Amino acid sequence: MYVFMKKYLVLLSAVLFMLPLQAQVVQTSKLSMLLAQSRKDSLQKTERLAALKFHHIINNYRKENKIDTLVWDDTLWVAARNHSIWMGNNNELSHTEKEGTPDYTGRDPGDRYNYASANNGSCNWSGENALYSWSSMGSTINEISDDMAQDAFTLWKNSPGHDENMRAPLSKVHAVAFYISPRGSVWATDLFAYQPSYMPYLAASKKTVEKSVADEVAEVSVQKKPAARKMSVIAIEQAKDSLLAVLEKGNTEKLPLGRMLINKAMKKAAMRHALYMANAKKITHTERKDKPGFYAETEKKRVMKASWGLYFFYQRKMPLTESIALTETENSNLNIPRLGAEVESALDKERMAEGSSGQAGYGLAIKQVKDKLKVYAVRLEEANDNLSARTALSDK
C-alpha cells in the first residue's frame, strides 16, 4: 500500500508540474516565460492577441475623441491577467477579490499590481474595467481574438462607467488581459494607470513601445485553428448545467405566464433518455433493454417511471410530445448561449406537436469526441393547452 501511494504521489506531482501556465497567476519575474508560452500555446496565443488587438481598438477610439493614446504596460497586463483568471476560476465578476479564494493575488487593483510587480512597480492605477461573456466565435486564432476584442470594446463602450474609464484623459498607461475558462467563457480585465515615474512619455519612447506591440501582433497572428482542448469531466458537467439553464430560461421567456413550469418527472425522464442516447451513440425515441443506460422503452413509460406512476392519472389531460436532437460544437469554440439557440432550434425542427402549454422537461448528455462536444438533447412537453393538471407532477 505504501509503495502504491508513493507512486501515486509521484505521478500527481508530475501532473501538477505539467499544468499549463495559462491557468496560473504569476508575477512579472515570469513574464518572459509567459510571453514564450503565448507564442506556442494556441489558447494563450488567442488571449494575448485579443489583448493586443483591443489595445489598438481603444487607442483608435481615443484618437477619434481627441484624447491622447495609451501606452501598453506588461506589468499591468500580468496584474490584469491574474484578475481575469481569478474571476474565471471562481466564476465571479467583481473588482474585489476575496482573500482565501483560489488564485487570490490582492483585494483591489492596487494590491494586485503590487503582487504582480513584487512591490517594485511604478504605476498608480486609475481605473479598472471587468467583464464576462461567451464571445469567442471563429475558427482561427485571428477570428476568435478579433471577436473577443471587439465584443469587449462594444460592451464597455455601451456602459457609461466603463466607457468613461476608456476615455479618461489622465490615464496614460493600460493593459487588458483575456482568459478563456475551461467552460469556454471569456473573462477580461482592463487596468488603467496614471503616468508612471519611470516612463517620461517622450514621443520616441512611445513609438518604441508601440513598435514592440506591433511586432508581437505580427508574430503571433498565425492563421491556424487553436489546438484541440480536452475538457475535464467537471468542465463538461459545468457546461451541461449552464446549457440546461439557458434552455430553461429561453423557454420561460416564450411563455405568457412569464415563467417556466419545469415538470420534475419530465425532466428526470428526459435526462435519462439523453444519457441513453449518448451511450448508444444514436438518436432514437425508443430504448432497448439490452443497451447500457436503459430506463424505459417509450417516453410515456419513462415519465410514468419517473413520476412513480402518477402520470397514469394525468396522461389524458397531459399528452406528451418528445423532441430529440444531436448538436456538435468544437471544444475550443464553446459558446453556451449560441449553442443553446442551436439546440433549441434543432429540437423545434423535430417537434411532433404544434405547440406546448409550457410544462416541460429538458435532458442533456454531453460526450467529448476528440476536439468536438456532442450534445444529445431531449425535450418532453405537454402537447396541448389544457392547464388543469399542470402542477400535478411538478412537485413530485
Side-chain angles (χ1 to χ4, degrees), residues 35 39 45-58 72 74 77 149 174 176 178 210 212-218 220:
L35 293 176
R39 286 164 172 78
K45 184 181 290 188
T46 304
E47 293 166 352
R48 177 73 175 181
L49 189 56
L52 298 179
K53 287 181 176 181
F54 181 92
H55 173 66
H56 181 70
I57 292 171
I58 192 175
W72 180 268
D74 272 325
W77 176 69
H174 95 119
V176 63
F178 293 86
E210 290 309 297
S212 175
V213 170
D215 289 345
E216 186 177 348
V217 169
V220 299

Side-chain angles (χ1 to χ4, degrees), residues 82-83 85-87 89-109 111-112 128:
N82 287 344
H83 186 55
I85 290 173
W86 179 88
M87 290 192 297
N89 290 347
N90 288 278
N91 198 32
E92 181 174 350
L93 180 62
S94 175
H95 292 289
T96 305
E97 293 186 10
K98 297 174 183 176
E99 193 169 356
T101 54
D103 302 309
Y104 174 84
T105 59
R107 186 178 183 278
D108 60 37
D111 297 328
R112 297 192 287 272
E128 180 183 77

Side-chain angles (χ1 to χ4, degrees), residues 181-347:
S181 79
R183 291 183 296 164
S185 54
V186 177
W187 303 80
T189 305
D190 196 353
L191 187 55
F192 302 88
Y194 301 113
Q195 179 170 322
S197 57
Y198 67 84
M199 190 180 290
Y201 280 88
L202 298 173
S205 174
K206 207 168 188 179
K207 286 181 179 179
T208 300
V209 174
E210 290 309 297
K211 184 179 185 305
S212 175
V213 170
D215 289 345
E216 186 177 348
V217 169
E219 182 180 349
V220 299
S221 296
V222 180
Q223 282 286 350
K224 69 174 186 178
K225 288 188 176 183
R229 165 183 259 181
K230 188 172 178 60
M231 295 176 67
S232 68
V233 174
I234 294 176
I236 290 176
E237 283 299 305
Q238 290 175 330
K240 185 183 76 174
D241 291 343
S242 298
L243 181 58
L244 196 60
V246 167
L247 291 171
E248 292 179 348
K249 182 182 177 182
N251 217 32
T252 300
E253 294 170 351
K254 297 177 184 177
L255 298 179
L257 296 179
R259 61 191 179 92
M260 178 67 176
L261 294 170
I262 294 297
N263 183 300
K264 292 184 179 180
M266 288 184 186
K267 184 173 182 177
K268 181 178 179 181
M271 291 296 289
R272 292 298 297 264
H273 189 52
L275 185 59
Y276 172 86
M277 291 194 300
N279 288 330
K281 299 178 182 178
K282 183 180 180 181
I283 299 300
T284 175
H285 289 281
T286 306
E287 295 184 11
R288 288 176 49 179
K289 291 182 180 180
D290 59 336
K291 296 296 183 181
F294 172 80
Y295 190 63
E297 291 90 345
T298 65
E299 61 268 25
K300 179 179 175 180
K301 289 183 178 180
R302 290 190 285 272
V303 175
M304 192 80 74
K305 186 174 180 178
S307 66
W308 296 83
L310 283 183
Y311 182 64
F312 176 82
F313 300 102
Y314 302 104
Q315 55 186 311
R316 290 187 179 180
K317 296 179 180 179
M318 194 187 296
L320 288 173
T321 179
E322 181 182 66
S323 304
I324 54 178
L326 171 61
T327 307
E328 294 185 359
T329 186
E330 292 185 1
N331 296 358
S332 58
N333 197 22
L334 178 61
N335 184 309
I336 295 294
R338 185 176 71 241
L339 182 58
E342 292 174 0
V343 170
E344 191 71 48
S345 176
L347 289 171

Side-chain angles (χ1 to χ4, degrees), residues 41 43 49 62 68 90 110 129 137 156 160 162 170 186 221 230 245 258 284 325 353 367 379-380:
D41 180 85
L43 284 169
L49 189 56
R62 287 172 71 94
D68 194 21
N90 288 278
N129 287 351
M137 297 176 64
W156 281 332
H162 297 95
L170 292 179
V186 177
S221 296
K230 188 172 178 60
T284 175
K367 290 287 185 179
R379 183 179 61 204
L380 280 167

